[in-house]
Amino acid sequence: DTGVSQDPRHKITKRGQNVTFRCDPISEHNRLYWYRQTLGQGPEFLTYFQNEAQLEKSRLLSDRFSAERPKGSFSTLEIQRTEQGDSAMYLCASSTRTSYNEQFFGPGTRLTVL
Amino acid sequence: AQRVTQPEKLLSVFKGAPVELKCNYSYSGSPELFWYVQYSRQRLQLLLRHISRESIKGFTADLNKGETSFHLKKPFAQEEDSAMYYCALSGGRSSNTGKLIFGQGTTLQVKP
């Protein structure tokens, strides 16, 4: 499968724990996006990278959230001290720099915070 | 404020009936508009974009700047069209980020 992959697909954690998600974009794509989707809502933009540089962060991304893309390939999204309100589907997408509006989405990681 | 509104959570039609999924947007500038679709147990995927002015799977969408709308239409619905549809916008070439702003989504249910 040469599409965007995300790991894990599901994560259940207790409030206060830290979690980390991974996204592997399509190999030739240099842009990588993170979105969050809660029940009944459309995806909401969190942040994006061009190669290893994080170029924009949403106000939704509180200090407890951090994202990295150290070598311009895969990316990680870490949530520290999780809260029940963090329960959501976390989606990753990638695109080329020139066709940045055609984003290819991964299957998502569903986070449940108990 | 940048916003996309899809007023219908659910649209239910019979096979062969025309379909119109509504989308209105608010954006100061010249946005690019898209429709993304998510079929059951599949990932979100791009259906069409306004700049392409193409028909995909029989669907078309016209950008109406006066009414700030980008409604998705199909003359004859098929059962395989049943899915969740999201309207989305980006800032276009002026912003160059590719950040997408999505509506809440409309579930299209095509009954046999």
Side-chain angles (χ1 to χ4, degrees), chain A residues 2-85:
Chain A
T2 56
V4 178
S5 62
Q6 293 186 245
D7 184 69
R9 296 290 303 278
H10 303 274
K11 178 71 177 179
I12 299 174
T13 190
K14 293 183 179 178
R15 189 176 52 183
Q17 298 295 304
N18 299 343
V19 294
T20 300
F21 310 141
R22 176 179 170 126
C23 171
D24 286 87
I26 294 171
S27 59
E28 62 268 25
H29 286 182
N30 51 15
R31 288 201 176 184
L32 186 148
Y33 303 82
W34 285 100
Y35 294 85
R36 182 174 69 185
Q37 185 173 22
T38 53
L39 203 60
Q41 301 296 317
E44 295 174 291
F45 171 81
L46 292 178
T47 188
Y48 94 96
F49 293 83
Q50 180 162 301
N51 300 314
E52 66 276 8
Q54 187 173 20
L55 296 185
E56 187 172 346
K57 293 197 296 186
S58 162
R59 294 174 190 171
L60 293 175
L61 218 61
S62 75
D63 291 346
R64 296 184 297 105
F65 287 70
S66 62
E68 294 182 342
R69 194 183 183 198
K71 296 182 180 178
S73 57
F74 72 91
S75 174
T76 57
L77 178 68
E78 180 183 17
I79 309 174
Q80 296 183 327
R81 303 181 304 282
T82 53
E83 301 172 357
Q84 287 185 326

Side-chain angles (χ1 to χ4, degrees), chain B residues 34 48 72 90:
Chain B
F34 308 86
L48 55 79
L72 183 67
S90 77

Side-chain angles (χ1 to χ4, degrees), chain B residues 13-85:
Chain B
V13 302
F14 285 102
K15 176 182 172 182
V19 169
E20 182 178 49
L21 298 167
K22 294 190 181 342
C23 172
N24 289 89
Y25 67 90
S26 172
Y27 188 83
S28 55
S30 297
E32 293 189 30
L33 275 293
F34 308 86
W35 278 98
Y36 276 78
V37 61
Q38 188 166 25
Y39 300 102
S40 179
R41 296 191 179 87
Q42 294 187 29
R43 57 189 70 187
L44 196 58
Q45 59 186 286
L46 178 65
L47 179 63
L48 55 79
R49 67 188 89 181
H50 89 267
I51 57 172
S52 300
R53 304 181 71 84
E54 57 194 346
S55 173
I56 303 291
K57 299 184 178 182
F59 285 99
T60 58
D62 290 320
L63 180 61
N64 185 323
K65 293 184 180 179
E67 295 183 0
T68 59
S69 68
F70 188 57
H71 303 326
L72 183 67
K73 300 177 184 179
K74 184 170 183 176
F76 308 104
Q78 302 299 315
E79 288 182 67
E80 54 265 30
D81 296 329
S82 296
M84 176 70 88
Y85 291 80

